[in-house]
Amino acid sequence: MKIGLDIMGGDFAPEANVSGAILANKELPQDTSIVLFGDQDVVREKLVELGGNPDDFEIVHAPDVITMHDHPTRAIPQKPNSTISKGFDLLASGEIQAFASTGNTGAMLVGAIYKVNAVPGIIRPCITSTIPNIKGGNSLILDVGANADCKPDVLYQFAILGSMYAKEVYGIENPKVGLLNIGEEETKGNLLTQSAFKLMQDTTDFNFTGNIEGRDIFTGKVDVIVCDGFTGNVVLKQAEGLFGLMQKRGLRDEYFDRFNYENYGGTPILGVNSNVIIGHGISNDIAVKNMLLHSYDVTKSKLTDKIKEAIN
């Protein structure tokens, strides 16, 4: 297996990415290699500087960078020699089996949709996030920002994707799926959630347990939380903000320590034809290492192939 990494993505590039790759290389199986995308001279220099061996990695020369300020749709065709563009070229050709980046999320979405394409039958690919629950496990929430506006059938597909991700990657048998709403009753909510509930209530495609409220998000009441990307992003940023506030006030708690983004590294774009992993822009070396390890887990699970089979 070959996992590609955008060396120039994120706020602390290239140091955090190179250091994270060195750490991940020590933990990944011997039959798995990391392919580094970036200016080859810079990559080699950083590898030596940070105690790595350039011979342990494959380096693909990609001298350009898609920055956070670049327009995602225009950046991919305008910067064909960028790390993200080159990464998707090799992913599309099958030369690497996964591609991970902490860079421009919009460009990663555009590259995923237009270079490796959505799985036939998928209306809109989506992004998930991991929410620690008080029971000691994790719940998944999707979408968290890729699709601010959704229709009921899109939420239905999110439920299928999230359920498969929870089962195949996290090993949760028959994951419980909940629809995020302002009340538990099926008549509550806006037109979107009311219509989505009607689609989900009698399904056999996943284990739908009904509506859940915001107070249920961290309780572990369900394994998969489904919502539109606007709502999901607000939930995610609120959780991140609460964790940051506690850190600033010097408050430590075993449960809230699990909100640290370093623990999770990255999350896949679900519903595209290959394994694309997005990490947080502020990722340090530990987060990058965990992003690469999760890329391995997602690829090894053959999640993408199983999604294709389920949808088709």
Side-chain angles (χ1 to χ4, degrees):
M1 181 191 304
K2 290 187 176 182
I3 302 171
L5 174 65
D6 169 15
I7 287 301
M8 298 309 298
D11 296 346
F12 305 111
E15 287 82 1
N17 295 310
V18 173
S19 181
I22 294 171
L23 293 173
N25 189 58
K26 296 176 182 178
E27 297 188 26
L28 288 168
Q30 290 186 344
D31 62 351
T32 300
S33 60
I34 301 173
V35 181
L36 307 178
F37 292 83
D39 186 295
Q40 59 186 5
D41 293 333
V42 173
V43 174
R44 290 182 178 279
E45 179 183 329
K46 286 297 177 184
L47 281 169
V48 173
E49 179 185 320
L50 296 170
N53 183 355
D55 293 336
D56 290 339
F57 302 90
E58 182 178 335
I59 301 171
V60 175
H61 185 54
D64 295 335
V65 179
I66 295 177
T67 70
M68 297 297 187
H69 303 292
D70 285 325
H71 190 283
T73 305
R74 293 194 293 267
I76 294 288
Q78 289 178 354
K79 292 186 173 182
N81 291 317
S82 66
T83 51
I84 290 179
S85 294
K86 285 283 190 180
F88 277 113
D89 286 343
L90 266 66
L91 187 65
S93 66
E95 295 176 67
I96 59 176
Q97 285 68 56
F99 180 53
S101 174
T102 60
N104 189 312
T105 300
M108 289 293 287
L109 280 167
V110 170
I113 293 171
Y114 292 104
K115 288 215 171 189
V116 298
N117 303 317
V119 170
I122 290 291
I123 305 168
R124 292 188 183 182
C126 62
I127 306 174
T128 71
S129 188
T130 303
I131 300 289
N133 64 57
I134 201 68
K135 294 180 179 179
N138 295 308
S139 299
L140 300 173
I141 183 169
L142 67 167
D143 182 32
V144 292
N147 304 281
D149 296 300
C150 295
K151 293 182 179 180
D153 54 350
V154 174
L155 293 189
Y156 187 92
Q157 282 196 346
F158 289 172
I160 295 174
L161 295 173
S163 184
M164 295 189 68
Y165 181 33
K167 179 180 179 181
E168 302 299 338
V169 179
Y170 285 95
I172 303 173
E173 194 64 34
N174 198 27
K176 293 180 289 185
V177 178
L179 178 64
L180 187 58
N181 207 337
I182 60 172
E184 293 184 357
E185 301 87 351
E186 63 180 274
T187 56
K188 288 290 184 72
N190 54 22
L191 292 175
L192 171 62
T193 54
Q194 290 178 29
S195 299
F197 187 98
K198 291 179 180 178
L199 286 178
M200 295 178 182
Q201 62 182 348
D202 296 320
T203 186
T204 58
D205 290 333
F206 47 88
N207 180 19
F208 181 58
T209 61
N211 288 328
I212 67 164
E213 299 182 73
R215 63 188 175 191
D216 300 318
I217 290 173
F218 307 106
T219 64
K221 185 175 182 179
V222 297
D223 303 301
V224 179
I225 302 164
V226 176
C227 58
D228 62 85
F230 183 94
T231 304
N233 194 266
V234 171
V235 170
L236 178 61
K237 296 297 173 61
Q238 183 186 39
E240 290 178 351
L242 179 61
F243 174 69
L245 182 62
M246 292 186 68
Q247 282 192 313
K248 288 180 180 179
R249 295 182 64 84
L251 301 174
R252 294 296 303 274
D253 179 89
E254 183 179 351
Y255 168 63
F256 283 104
D257 284 346
R258 292 169 52 215
F259 280 74
N260 190 335
Y261 73 95
E262 295 177 8
N263 298 324
Y264 309 102
T267 184
I269 300 176
L270 298 180
V272 294
N273 275 309
S274 195
N275 305 297
V276 181
I277 314 297
I278 297 176
H280 205 301
I282 61 171
S283 292
N284 59 15
D285 56 347
I286 301 300
V288 172
K289 179 199 76 171
N290 286 329
M291 177 176 68
L292 290 168
L293 296 181
H294 193 57
S295 299
Y296 172 81
D297 290 338
V298 170
T299 305
K300 184 181 178 182
S301 74
K302 299 187 183 299
L303 177 63
T304 300
D305 292 336
K306 292 172 182 176
I307 287 174
K308 292 177 185 178
E309 292 173 7
I311 297 299
N312 292 331

